[in-house]
Amino acid sequence: MATPRYIDSVRNPKIPGFEWQDPEDDGDRKMFRDILEHGCQVIAVEAGPRSLDFSYSVGLFLNFSHPEILIMGVSSQSCHKAINQICREAAGGRAVREGDERTELFDVPRPVKFVPVDKQRYFDYLGYAAWFYRSLL
């Protein structure tokens, strides 16, 4: 088995104070492998009674000191593709910044503006990421 590309995140995390959580199940172990092999993992959440479909990243901050990405109201397949594109760009040193606008992240050009998520809403939308990074709280 090949060494994961981002194994240094285990041995020497770029984020002071970050500690890997103990995996609770096979899903967590797969998530950790994906973060170490690909740089991030995309979590897709189906629409609920008071929310749209949404997807978000876990691992961008750990591996690239890049903000995690949350995309709402777009199919999980489209979100997955867009977040993976941002991950590849982050691996190459390109960062999305607050206020940036992009139109080429989806198959059909649509304007996207990057804005911060209110920290009080993290657990509403970024539950797994909040659990993953809880050593930083």
Side-chain angles (χ1 to χ4, degrees):
M1 180 178 200
T3 301
R5 188 178 336 177
Y6 301 101
I7 194 68
D8 284 345
S9 293
V10 172
R11 298 179 189 134
N12 188 20
K14 294 179 182 180
I15 306 167
F18 176 82
E19 295 178 13
W20 285 83
Q21 303 303 317
D22 291 327
E24 296 177 3
D25 55 30
D26 287 341
D28 290 345
R29 283 184 273 287
K30 181 189 181 318
M31 175 77 61
F32 293 177
R33 278 192 309 274
D34 288 346
I35 291 168
L36 293 171
E37 290 176 18
H38 305 291
C40 79
Q41 176 66 32
V42 179
I43 307 288
V45 180
E46 291 183 16
R50 293 186 280 203
S51 70
L52 303 169
D53 287 343
F54 65 94
S55 297
Y56 62 94
S57 64
V58 179
L60 288 176
F61 186 53
L62 173 66
N63 287 313
F64 311 112
S65 301
H66 188 287
E68 300 297 347
I69 300 296
L70 166 68
I71 302 174
M72 302 183 79
V74 179
S75 75
S76 62
Q77 182 179 1
S78 293
C79 289
H80 197 94
K81 184 177 175 182
I83 291 171
N84 282 333
Q85 176 63 34
I86 292 168
C87 183
R88 285 189 295 277
E89 291 171 4
R94 180 178 178 188
V96 170
R97 305 224 185 281
E98 181 179 339
D100 282 358
E101 295 184 24
R102 307 257 308 257
T103 58
E104 82 296 343
L105 288 172
F106 301 104
D107 290 335
V108 175
R110 58 174 25 160
V112 175
K113 185 172 184 173
F114 293 89
V115 298
V117 173
D118 183 329
K119 289 182 181 181
Q120 292 184 353
R121 304 301 305 263
Y122 279 11
F123 288 98
D124 294 341
Y125 297 108
L126 306 170
Y128 195 90
W131 173 82
F132 183 75
Y133 290 112
R134 72 182 176 194
S135 63
L136 302 175
L137 300 176

